[in-house]
Amino acid sequence: MRSLLPIFTVVAAIFVIWYGAAVALNTPWAKDQAKRNNVELSFTELVADTWSQKKPKLPAPHQVVAEIWKTTGEMVAKGRAFSKRSLIYHSWITLSATMLGFVMGTGFGILLAIGIVYNRVMDMSVMPWVIASQTIPILAVAPMIIVVLNAVGISGLLPKAMISMYLSFFPVVVGMVKGLRSPDQMQLDQMRTWNATSGQEFWRLRLPSSMPFLFASLKVAMAASLVGAIVGELPTGAVAGLGARLLAGSYYGQTIQIWSALIMAAALAAALVALIGLIQRMTLKKMGMVQ
Amino acid sequence: MTNTTVISAKNLSLTFETNDGPVHALKDVDLDIHKGDFVSFIGPSGCGKTTFLRCMADLEHPTAGSITVNGVSAEEARKARAYGYVFQHAGLYPWRTIGGNISLPLEIMGYSKQDQQDRIARVLELVELEGFEKKFPWQLSGGMQQRASIARALAFDADILLMDEPFGALDEIVRDHLNEQLLKLWARTNKTIGFVTHSIPEAVYLSTKIVVMSPRPGRITDVIESTLPKERPLDIRDTPEFLEIAHRVRDGLRAGHAYD
């Protein structure tokens, strides 16, 4: 209970600022409209107008909530949860690319980390490229990846997942290299005194030691993977997915739609990261590493 | 005690090349350790006592001279799992229970499941940790963790036990208790023990042979055969005989320092 109060305080503050900003940003349009219609707006009328415009500069929270409800709960009630106008459908499209990219990125990241830890040549040569890969703006690379893959006949889910992978393997590599190197010299000497093979050393010492590092990386990777999937939908004229919703919204000035897609993406990211947190707690508890 | 030589070092030297020039960690060290001996290595830091122990364990490689363990090279002895090594820190895996930690070397060496269970029970009894098999390391005190790590080194059939300041991080009271236990354990198992310490009373109390070392270059200044009986209650430390040996150790340490 004690942890809820600060959370609610912050949320309340956000709402206050949000509503205030909505008034400030939408007032010029409201006044402009009033002037054209030759009506004088009282303060309450002005506020009411700024919170209920059809294409506001900044939609008020209740407008976004209403839009989200209209495109999720209401659709479900009508039995059209997976229609093209449903946010659930678009979230699912993005989620599937995110998950595929996340799994590929994690696998690729772990393999690279093992190579870097066990192979001196890889250690010297791969790491700079891994870091360089992340300095390239993904927005610049994404269209090329999609165009190139399209040219070789790969389209749909995989290109987006590749972009997710591109973003999500990085934290996994960095975390796992550190994690696999976390056993100290004494622990490695101990393995030597038992004449353990390097396989035994890996499975019994290095891999378990790296688990806390892995989970920390997975949380970052998951968030990055979602960003990658959305970015993958933006420059390609995709017709489905949260990124497509953002893009369509910005074409037609549908700010409410943009914000509802944004909130949905944020909620999705929070849920996914929380899910990893849960798996982390369960795993570490089973390993006896949390008390 | 028989006179079979278990560990034998001849003209052993080890020089580390550092940026500040060569460091002579060991220079011309000669020593024979017999079966059933309890040998302590004592000296100030930098005297090479830990390096010497690590040479026996094939964790360091001498640059000159030779060392044999059980009549073969240190490397062959390590590969034959001839010794158990106890480090200064218990180094138990936090994700394994005490039983799981003890079975770790047994798994690596390919003992059967049943044999592992029998051995865990036996060594836990030896270090008086019965009933702690299912506990995790963080649930044990520092002294108990170190006992568990000794149990782990005893679990497989190695006749030699090498201990590198195993009680160095523990307080005096716990240390006394563990010293007493270690002597009992040594009497029961008849292992050959190499023990690094920088405590004079600890060295005198435990050992049949005390090797006094001095730094720059690391070398042996005195080897003292203890005249104390094998049966040693804690208050033996107040007898004139004990104090005399302790005095000789102190003299040896001082003589080593006169060089620099």
Side-chain angles (χ1 to χ4, degrees):
Chain A
M1 281 317 267
R2 227 187 320 161
S3 65
L4 283 181
L5 185 67
I7 294 174
F8 276 126
T9 312
V10 171
V11 170
I14 290 173
F15 271 87
V16 169
I17 294 168
W18 192 343
Y19 273 110
V23 172
L25 286 166
N26 301 334
T27 296
W29 170 262
K31 281 197 170 148
D32 197 40
Q33 287 299 105
K35 209 164 148 194
R36 282 170 196 229
N37 299 335
N38 274 324
V39 284
E40 202 58 39
L41 283 177
S42 73
F43 181 70
T44 41
E45 281 169 336
L46 178 72
V47 168
D49 186 84
T50 57
W51 287 351
S52 59
Q53 289 170 7
K54 268 194 83 168
K55 290 184 176 183
K57 290 220 164 58
L58 178 65
H62 67 264
Q63 290 178 288
V64 177
V65 170
E67 166 76 10
I68 290 177
W69 173 250
K70 208 175 83 189
T71 49
T72 57
E74 241 180 73
M75 301 295 253
V76 175
K78 286 187 207 153
R80 296 172 55 213
F82 282 87
S83 95
K84 290 221 153 82
R85 295 194 50 209
S86 155
L87 211 50
I88 296 174
Y89 164 76
H90 292 285
S91 298
W92 165 247
I93 296 290
T94 303
L95 177 67
S96 54
T98 302
M99 292 311 289
L100 183 61
F102 173 75
V103 169
M104 293 194 309
T106 303
F108 181 57
I110 291 175
L111 285 181
L112 264 187
I114 293 172
I116 287 170
V117 169
Y118 277 96
N119 188 316
R120 224 183 108 71
V121 177
M122 273 188 81
D123 185 21
M124 308 292 273
S125 60
V126 174
M127 211 50 184
W129 288 102
V130 168
I131 293 164
S133 76
Q134 302 300 305
T135 62
I136 302 166
I138 188 65
L139 261 169
V141 183
M144 287 187 282
I145 293 178
I146 292 187
V147 166
V148 167
L149 286 179
N150 218 8
V152 295
I154 301 169
S155 59
L157 188 63
L158 201 59
K160 284 196 286 174
M162 295 282 277
I163 293 163
S164 283
M165 179 182 106
Y166 186 89
L167 286 186
S168 63
F169 86 95
F170 178 69
V172 177
V173 173
V174 174
M176 280 305 274
V177 166
K178 199 153 173 52
L180 291 174
R181 283 190 176 146
S182 65
D184 58 27
Q185 192 54 46
M186 191 212 85
Q187 288 175 306
L188 297 173
D189 280 346
Q190 201 172 45
M191 277 290 180
R192 246 176 90 79
T193 70
W194 298 326
N195 196 26
T197 64
S198 52
Q200 287 168 331
E201 182 192 281
F202 176 78
W203 290 108
R204 290 191 164 76
L205 175 60
R206 287 190 191 267
L207 195 63
S209 303
S210 70
M211 280 303 125
F213 295 85
L214 175 65
F215 281 110
S217 300
L218 288 186
K219 285 182 190 170
V220 181
M222 185 57 103
S225 189
L226 182 68
V227 171
I230 291 173
V231 166
E233 289 160 354
L234 283 181
T236 54
V239 287
L242 290 174
R245 287 288 278 193
L246 288 174
L247 204 62
S250 74
Y251 281 158
Y252 304 112
Q254 297 284 355
T255 45
I256 300 177
Q257 184 188 324
I258 296 177
W259 277 85
S260 64
L262 275 180
I263 300 284
M264 198 65 186
L268 199 59
L272 291 172
V273 172
L275 181 70
I276 295 193
L278 194 71
I279 297 171
Q280 172 181 27
R281 277 181 63 92
M282 275 158 45
T283 310
L284 294 188
K285 194 159 188 160
K286 201 162 167 246
M287 287 171 76
M289 285 169 94
V290 281
Q291 295 166 22
Chain B
M1 250 167 280
T2 60
N3 263 337
T4 326
T5 304
V6 177
I7 298 170
S8 171
K10 287 198 174 47
N11 290 321
L12 196 70
S13 296
L14 198 159
T15 310
F16 291 111
E17 296 298 336
T18 69
N19 290 336
D20 297 336
V23 172
H24 300 282
L26 289 173
K27 193 155 173 58
D28 297 329
V29 170
D30 286 291
L31 187 73
D32 281 340
I33 297 175
H34 302 295
K35 184 160 174 45
D37 270 354
F38 195 127
V39 182
S40 285
F41 300 90
I42 189 166
S45 48
C47 73
K49 53 192 193 296
T50 293
T51 309
F52 191 18
L53 202 73
R54 287 172 64 87
C55 283
M56 297 175 198
D58 188 41
L59 296 174
E60 302 286 354
H61 304 290
T63 42
S66 70
I67 185 161
T68 61
V69 178
N70 284 343
V72 295
S73 75
E75 189 187 355
E76 283 170 80
R78 176 176 66 80
K79 287 185 172 156
R81 284 126 179 182
Y83 63 85
Y85 201 103
V86 180
F87 292 85
Q88 181 168 4
H89 298 286
L92 301 171
Y93 291 7
W95 57 88
R96 280 175 175 250
T97 59
I98 297 304
N101 268 288
I102 294 171
S103 72
L104 176 65
L106 302 176
E107 286 168 22
I108 287 170
M109 297 174 193
Y111 286 81
S112 75
K113 272 266 175 280
Q114 185 54 48
D115 201 7
Q116 288 179 22
Q117 285 311 313
D118 296 346
R119 282 164 186 270
I120 291 168
R122 201 184 70 215
V123 293
L124 281 177
E125 190 257 313
L126 267 177
V127 298
E128 295 176 22
L129 278 178
E130 301 100 325
F132 285 91
E133 190 184 336
K134 299 269 187 293
K135 293 268 190 287
F136 280 101
W138 57 267
Q139 294 170 300
L140 271 64
S141 69
M144 288 159 98
Q145 289 188 22
Q146 195 54 279
R147 266 146 68 193
S149 102
I150 293 171
R152 181 177 54 185
L154 292 170
F156 48 97
D157 298 312
D159 292 330
I160 305 168
L161 191 56
L162 301 175
M163 308 176 88
D164 183 6
E165 293 189 43
F167 309 139
L170 304 173
D171 66 64
E172 196 77 32
I173 301 158
V174 176
R175 201 173 177 150
D176 277 353
H177 179 60
L178 291 184
N179 280 340
E180 237 183 326
Q181 266 199 331
L182 182 59
L183 274 187
K184 266 193 241 163
L185 195 147
W186 172 61
R188 277 181 65 183
T189 56
N190 200 32
K191 305 238 175 201
T192 308
I193 299 182
F195 189 95
V196 167
T197 180
H198 47 228
S199 154
I200 296 176
E202 188 171 69
V204 179
Y205 177 67
L206 291 172
S207 321
T208 58
K209 188 189 263 191
I210 303 156
V211 177
V212 183
M213 300 182 71
S214 74
R216 286 176 297 272
R219 68 202 180 282
I220 294 175
T221 49
D222 197 4
V223 177
I224 304 163
E225 299 282 347
S226 177
T227 51
L228 295 175
K230 204 167 177 182
E231 195 67 36
R232 297 175 189 181
L234 267 179
D235 49 21
I236 203 171
R237 293 182 297 186
D238 300 324
T239 62
E241 216 180 347
F242 185 97
L243 295 174
E244 197 184 311
I245 299 171
H247 190 78
R248 199 175 145 191
V249 173
R250 194 167 291 117
D251 279 348
L253 289 172
R254 207 169 287 148
H257 267 288
Y259 280 86
D260 49 31

